Amino acid sequence: MPSRVLYSIRSCSRISLLRSHIPARSWYSTAAASSTPGQPELYDVVCVGGGPAGLSLVAGLRSSKITSNLKIALVEGQDLQKNVLKDASPTIYSNRCSSLTPASVKYLREIGAWDHIDTSRVQPYQEMQVWDGVSDSRISFDWASASGLALKQPVDRTTIAYMIENLNLTTALLSRLSELDSKLSISSPTRVSSVELGQETEALDLRSWPTVTLDNGRQLAARLLVGADGANSPVRTFAGIPSRGWDYGRHGVVASLRLEGPGWGGEEHKIAYQRFLPTGPVAMLPLPGNMATLVWSTVPERAARLKALKEEDFVAMVNAAFRLSPVDLEYLHTIPEGQKEEVEWREQHTPVDEQKIPMRAVGAQAGSVANFPLKMRHADTYTGERVALVGDAAHTVHPLAGQGLNQGQADAAALVRVIETAVSQGSDIGSQLALEAYTGERWQANNALLGAVDKLHKLYSFGSGPIVPVRSWGLSAVNAIGPLKGWFMRQAAGT
Amino acid sequence: MASLRPLRTTSALRTLSQSTKPSPYVCRRITTTPNLQHNTTVDPSEVTHFNALASTWWDPHGSSRLLHLMNPLRHTFISRCHSSQPDAPPTNHKLSYLDVGCGGGIFAESAARLRGTGSVTAIDPSPEVLSVAKAHAKRDPGLVEMMGEGRLKYLNTSIEELPLPGTQRGRQYDIVTLFEVLEHVTHPSPFLEHLLPFVKPGGWLVLSTIARTWTSWLTTKVVAEEVVGIVPRGTHDWNKYINEGELREWFGNKEGWGNVRAMGVVYVPGLGWREVPGSEGLGNYFFGVRREGEGKGV
């Protein structure tokens, strides 16, 4: 078991200045005390990373009656107070959006965070249109056509998922936390300088306790150190947990777009679109009003070129991505500019059923076009002695199924439950025995999803050849079989 | 070892009980006449065995893994004992525990961490495992604080040497626990007799042990010690096992004790310990018995 030898490879080199007595304060009930040099502050949970997964974990622990007495510190490198949604315009959206599943929303409601969401900026969608850019075979998802298993639909009978800016979610989690109490120690913007195991003194043995040194000099010793610190997780590195996977050789291009209208179904029936191109899927996901968010995965050179285009050319390329053939698109990526005119001309010769594809983009929000590399990574385990990983620190998934953020929320929910169980049984919440249930609950579920999404990516990366008709047949077959479609939809909805 | 035991079996079954083959038909009656050579019920060979196991006590994948996995069920069972009382325990009363045969402190630590706990006194005759328990508690600042306040105590003593209630420094407890100990005791009857005065009126004696059956011989001796090796060889002596019915009978004859409860548990590889109703007659089981009287209503 790799998790058993985690600490043997860590050396503990810091010279001990620890005092030989423990602080005279009530362990479970007092707020953060000031740090004395050389003596770490003691915490039940130190969560490194204040993204959606980390904040959701901390809010979950604070909301639970069983775990609300735990002494918790949150450390985030960015300034959390600056990264909040305020006075946001209804026509300006962050380019980092996620599709929240009903399962994630249910958890956020349970921990009292959903009430803090700015719901005017959340867009539920009721239908998904997915098609093959090579063969044009198509599948449409909506609860009405997924017949037979209507009883197992989510509570909100028509909603598949909810488009939300990540910022809206983190802002809500932060205001939920400040509503809960002021005892939580939040260090932001503060970076972690190092993580080492603690020292033994006459009274206290912290040799199994990870001790986090912050760039402001504070030292926090953790009964349980949670790595919610992203794909390059320093906590995971400290714990010696390997993370395996591969790079897709693709970048995700994101942008906030303005469309010519609210969508073919109007404000009450929003539709998410995804077209599989040989370079990767391109998705147009609905936001309130005429707004939409783009996620276009493509090869890095094309991503860089798209990002460099003038607005009108970029918008033309987006419209082309949902309309023109892969061959046309390939050509359009080779010209340095003038895509607008090229696309207009080519569209006249490419008949499409406009009602089946997203409404035309008419503008791209300034500064919203960005790109990032796509990867698949999975940590060998999520837990070690006094360490647990959540969210991207544990796994990174291709965005084509919109599941990354939801996996992190499910991780947080599961870890909260495991910690609740440990507290109610008197277990040390940092012990491997208490934590292993968390790996048990989440690893296999995440691995299955990572694998499925990875296979989908590979399946659709063929531009021609025998795979194309087979996958097209498969898509049409699923589309025709209501119960099977219902099953796929419930997977997507996380129910 | 069997020859030293104060067992009184019927003559017809005597030969079976002393043979190496186990039989579920052996009646191990817990006698009330102690036949002690020393002033303790502790078996020195058991102390030696557990001294040797001390170093791996807290290894989550080591020889005590099964005990660690069982620990949550101990709390479940204690809660059930409390909720079976006709008089509900007052919610603000902090419970006092005496954990007899605490070993490395698996149960004592967990009991000490619970919000409803006032104090835990944990005793064990093996000095090595007790030092493991103390060293391990040092890893938890909350427990260190409790030890500083005298609310968590580890004592290297047998139950016989613990000051009796009523004497100086002697006291009674809301809950006296005896987890996976009885099967290591050579003279169970006098041992239990020693324990009883430590239970407060209205308090509980809660124990877990193994029934002496074909199944338990197969699982705890053959499979666990020989085939899988999940339990170190020589940990258990099948002949020392006590059946639930025997305990029930013994307490049935004890005046002032009642509310007997039992819960059978089975270890399922890959899933852990699971409660299986009726399995108290097969192998591992929990047993709880309440001391009658007013007490504090606990």
Side-chain angles (χ1 to χ4, degrees), chain A residues 308-323:
Chain A
L309 291 177
K310 281 190 298 184
E311 185 191 348
E312 58 173 28
D313 286 337
F314 177 78
V315 168
M317 285 301 281
V318 170
N319 289 328
F322 289 95
R323 288 166 176 79

Side-chain angles (χ1 to χ4, degrees), chain A residues 25 66 209 223 426 436, chain B residues 65 113 115 139-140 145:
Chain A
R25 61 173 183 263
I66 300 169
W209 283 48
R223 182 187 293 273
E436 63 186 22
Chain B
R65 181 172 170 83
R113 282 192 199 97
R115 276 189 212 174
R139 295 177 174 206
D140 187 327
E145 193 174 290

Side-chain angles (χ1 to χ4, degrees), chain A residues 4 22 25-27 42 65-66 69 200-205 209 223 423-428 433 436, chain B residues 59-62 65 68-69 71-72 75-76 109-111 113-115 135 138-142 144-145:
Chain A
R4 293 184 59 191
I22 62 149
R25 61 173 183 263
S26 170
W27 174 248
L42 304 173
K65 275 189 190 145
I66 300 169
N69 277 357
E200 186 179 17
T201 63
E202 210 172 294
L204 193 56
D205 178 2
W209 283 48
R223 182 187 293 273
V423 169
S424 60
Q425 293 171 342
S427 306
D428 183 334
L433 276 156
E436 63 186 22
Chain B
D59 177 354
H61 301 280
R65 181 172 170 83
H68 285 282
L69 294 177
N71 199 51
H75 294 291
T76 307
E109 281 197 5
S110 65
R113 282 192 199 97
L114 293 178
R115 276 189 212 174
K138 236 181 97 175
R139 295 177 174 206
D140 187 327
V144 168
E145 193 174 290

Side-chain angles (χ1 to χ4, degrees), chain A residues 348-359:
Chain A
Q348 295 167 16
H349 305 279
T350 315
V352 287
D353 182 350
E354 286 286 339
Q355 299 274 337
K356 283 188 159 183
I357 57 177
M359 279 187 167

Side-chain angles (χ1 to χ4, degrees), chain A residues 51-61 107-108 111 173 226 228 389-391 395 405-419 438 441-442 446:
Chain A
L55 288 173
S56 195
L57 172 84
V58 174
L61 290 173
Y107 172 67
L108 291 165
I111 65 170
L173 286 164
V226 176
L389 306 175
V390 295
H395 42 70
L405 186 128
N406 294 296
Q407 283 182 300
Q409 295 300 300
D411 292 347
L415 188 53
V416 169
R417 279 195 300 276
V418 165
I419 294 172
Y438 166 61
E441 185 175 336
R442 291 300 304 154
N446 284 330

Side-chain angles (χ1 to χ4, degrees), chain B residues 155 157 159-171 198:
Chain B
L155 305 174
T157 174
I159 188 70
E160 291 83 1
E161 287 154 3
L162 196 67
L164 271 170
T167 66
Q168 203 186 357
R169 297 196 298 123
R171 59 167 294 192
F198 289 93

